[in-house]
Structure formats: structure tokens, C-alpha cells
Amino acid sequence: MNREFEQYRFARIEGRNVTRARLQSQFKDGINDLDELEKAIALELTMEAPCAPWRKSEIEQIGCREGMRLAIHEFFGELRRQIPGADRHRSAG
């Protein structure tokens, strides 16, 4: 396997796992407000520090950011279905 691709792949996995763990711990007791979830996601997306600071190369940083976005997308999709009225909130906005 190409070394650069391997670095990217591992960084993507780590970025996904780190971000998902942060979100899961933040919402371990559940969520009742879609705005609260959206604020947490916005905070994750705007964090200055990379999700896996030990990943230094450019390709690793790209992988880490993509893993982070994937985790956010998955987490949002899972929790959104659990929030009462979330679909109405989206269609009204």
C-alpha cells in the first residue's frame, strides 16, 4: 500500500474516532434540542487544534479533517432522528 495513502487512512480513522468520542461524551445523557447539537457541531468544525495533533504531515491533517467531518455527519444523522420534532425544525428554517 502506498505510504501516503496509509498515513491518510489512519489519520482519517483517528479523526473520526476522536471526534465521535468527544461528541458521544458530550451527549451521553441524550439530547432534546437540535440547536444544542448544532452548536456542538459548529464548535467541532471551528476548533483551531487538529483532532489528532500527533498527525503532522499535510496528508495526515487532510485525513484527520475528513474523518472529523464523517464523524460529525454520522453523529448528527443518528441523534437527529431521536430528537422530537427535529424534522419540523428543519423544514421550517
Side-chain angles (χ1 to χ4, degrees), residues 15-93:
R16 180 184 175 272
N17 291 344
V18 167
T19 302
R20 189 153 179 92
R22 272 199 303 249
L23 288 169
Q24 285 174 331
S25 72
Q26 187 173 352
F27 294 102
K28 66 180 177 243
D29 296 328
I31 184 169
N32 294 315
D33 182 10
L34 186 59
D35 290 332
E36 180 183 355
L37 177 59
E38 288 175 344
K39 286 176 188 172
I41 288 171
L43 181 63
E44 285 291 326
L45 290 171
T46 59
M47 287 180 73
E48 301 238 353
C51 50
W54 55 92
R55 296 292 182 175
K56 302 289 185 193
S57 73
E58 183 179 353
I59 194 74
E60 289 174 318
Q61 288 297 310
I62 291 168
C64 185
R65 283 190 302 272
E66 288 185 11
M68 177 191 69
R69 287 187 202 107
L70 176 63
I72 289 169
H73 179 75
E74 290 171 349
F75 194 78
F76 180 79
E78 291 168 12
L79 277 187
R80 186 169 174 246
R81 287 187 287 272
Q82 298 172 14
I83 301 170
D87 291 330
R88 282 188 310 241
H89 179 76
R90 281 291 126 221
S91 61

